[in-house]
Amino acid sequence: MRAAVLAALAVLLLAPAGAGAVQPRASFNDVEDEVMCDTCNVPLNVADSDRADQERATIRKLIAQGLTKDQIKAELKRTYGPAILAMPQDSGFSLAVWWVPVAVVVALLALLVALLPRWRRRGRADEAFAAAHAPALSEADARRLDEDLARYDA
Amino acid sequence: MKRSAVPIAVAVLAAALVGLLVYGVVARKDDTSLDAAVQKGQRPQAPGSAVSLPTLDGSTQRSLAQLRGRVVVLNFWASWCGPCEQEAPVLEKAQQQLAQNGGTVLGVTYKDDAGASRDFVRRYKLTYPSLRDDKLALAPKFGTNKLPETFVLDKSGRVVALSRGEVSQTFLMQAIDRAQAS
């Protein structure tokens, strides 16, 4: 009984949200920074050319038609090809944008794994060498050191 | 990892990254093979003759191969390109002359809004056909990445002359004469 009431409440709470859910209207700035000026090879939001102005006009027209951001990007991609999107393509040479950073991080980690034990070994050996070859304090120096330390402690 | 393997691995990685960078730069270099051949007096076959592109109204597709046997002035243009406006009357005049001998100017729009292209055609009263190359299926084959550019092809589909930049009346008429003579 209690479970049924809870389920009914859940349905009442969620149903209006689901029924009334609409795709948000695309914002021009939000689309502009995810699209390239396809003749100047810079993002549209920093491009200054006649073609860039034409692309902006196209985006405004599509927004006015009520298309969402994803629909606008899909329409631009369908018309002008994937290079119009600022996100690199997931094929061909453009894949390098994804795998090069990963390869560099993996290589650096491998390098660290290989070098860290060696650095630590070398550090320990240096310490041991320094300890073994450190000049012994004379009796006078040792006494002075003890006195200095005692002054600090006081 | 052995002691000697570390510097080798680092060197290989560095070389791979440099190679990638060089490839990225070289791959973006302009293709000027047509220019070189024409400059040497050769008549290279026009590339991309089988590439089919839609007309401005999208009603049909056409290719250069379909125009074999006719002199063709291939012009890459866009409505957003200032020099293209300047040369439009020159190309229309060439079209009037070519049409008498069965030739034609063939416009190809380069990443241009179709509606803006059609407005451009109406504004300059262009009577020659234009195709849309929105995804750059044809232009890069001619080494075209700036506008406007014009290529004059003879009846065998070979490049007789080319002009990268705004085309002049004199250049165009001389090139058409040469194409028709062959």
Side-chain angles (χ1 to χ4, degrees):
Chain A
M1 180 63 188
R2 195 173 152 193
V5 171
L6 283 174
L9 274 174
V11 168
L12 281 173
L13 285 171
L14 294 175
V22 287
Q23 288 272 28
R25 190 184 159 93
S27 124
F28 176 77
N29 292 340
D30 198 17
V31 178
E32 191 192 26
D33 64 2
E34 292 184 25
V35 170
M36 295 293 286
C37 168
D38 55 4
T39 57
C40 22
N41 291 325
V42 294
L44 190 57
N45 59 352
V46 295
D48 180 19
S49 72
D50 291 336
R51 169 60 179 159
D53 291 342
Q54 188 185 70
E55 285 187 49
R56 290 188 187 102
T58 303
I59 292 169
R60 287 198 176 93
K61 194 172 74 182
L62 295 172
I63 289 172
Q65 287 171 8
L67 270 62
T68 64
K69 182 171 94 168
D70 288 343
Q71 288 169 333
I72 291 169
K73 285 168 67 179
E75 175 61 19
L76 291 171
K77 185 179 172 184
R78 188 188 65 77
T79 308
Y80 298 110
I84 197 156
L85 300 181
M87 190 69 90
Q89 298 168 48
D90 53 1
S91 64
F93 184 70
S94 301
L95 272 177
V97 173
W98 303 110
W99 65 256
V100 164
V102 173
V104 168
V105 168
V106 168
L108 287 175
L109 285 175
L111 207 61
L112 275 178
V113 168
L115 290 179
L116 267 180
R118 192 182 303 167
W119 288 341
R120 291 177 66 179
R121 273 200 305 276
R122 190 179 293 169
R124 280 199 292 268
D126 288 347
E127 279 172 20
F129 181 85
H133 294 84
L137 281 177
S138 66
E139 259 185 48
D141 286 341
R143 202 179 317 117
R144 212 173 65 227
L145 179 64
D146 287 342
E147 285 167 4
D148 285 346
L149 289 174
R151 258 204 315 277
Y152 276 115
D153 290 340
Chain B
M1 199 179 283
K2 287 181 184 173
R3 188 182 178 86
S4 60
V6 175
I8 291 172
V10 172
V12 167
L13 184 68
L17 285 173
V18 170
L20 200 63
L21 190 68
V22 169
Y23 174 77
V25 171
V26 170
R28 286 176 182 273
K29 208 175 165 188
D30 291 352
D31 179 6
T32 56
S33 52
L34 274 181
D35 307 56
V38 170
Q39 215 163 23
K40 283 182 200 162
Q42 299 167 355
R43 290 189 174 189
Q45 198 66 36
S49 58
V51 173
S52 238
L53 296 173
T55 50
L56 286 190
D57 61 6
S59 60
T60 120
Q61 299 249 338
R62 294 182 76 175
S63 69
L64 280 173
Q66 292 170 331
L67 297 171
R68 195 61 57 83
R70 303 165 69 179
V71 170
V72 175
V73 172
L74 176 67
N75 174 249
F76 290 97
W77 65 277
S79 64
W80 45 262
C81 147
C84 300
E85 298 183 50
Q86 302 297 316
E87 68 172 18
V90 174
L91 288 159
E92 179 53 30
K93 197 169 177 182
Q95 169 66 9
Q96 300 301 328
Q97 183 191 322
L98 278 167
Q100 293 169 13
N101 299 306
T104 186
V105 174
L106 179 67
V108 176
T109 64
Y110 182 101
K111 290 197 175 284
D112 198 18
D113 177 75
S117 300
R118 288 193 292 269
D119 287 345
F120 185 97
V121 167
R122 274 193 293 273
R123 197 180 329 135
Y124 291 98
K125 300 181 173 62
L126 305 179
T127 58
Y128 53 85
S130 278
L131 308 176
R132 296 178 61 186
D133 193 11
D134 294 330
K135 291 179 184 167
L136 300 188
L138 185 64
K141 296 185 191 299
F142 283 84
T144 296
N145 57 14
K146 297 174 190 75
L147 294 181
E149 294 196 350
T150 303
F151 301 81
V152 180
L153 316 184
D154 65 14
K155 291 176 184 173
S156 305
R158 296 174 305 174
V159 181
V160 173
L162 60 90
S163 162
R164 298 199 189 271
E166 187 181 326
V167 75
S168 74
Q169 176 105 28
T170 314
F171 165 86
L172 201 51
M173 292 310 158
Q174 285 174 354
I176 289 171
D177 284 347
R178 269 188 288 148
Q180 283 175 333
S182 61

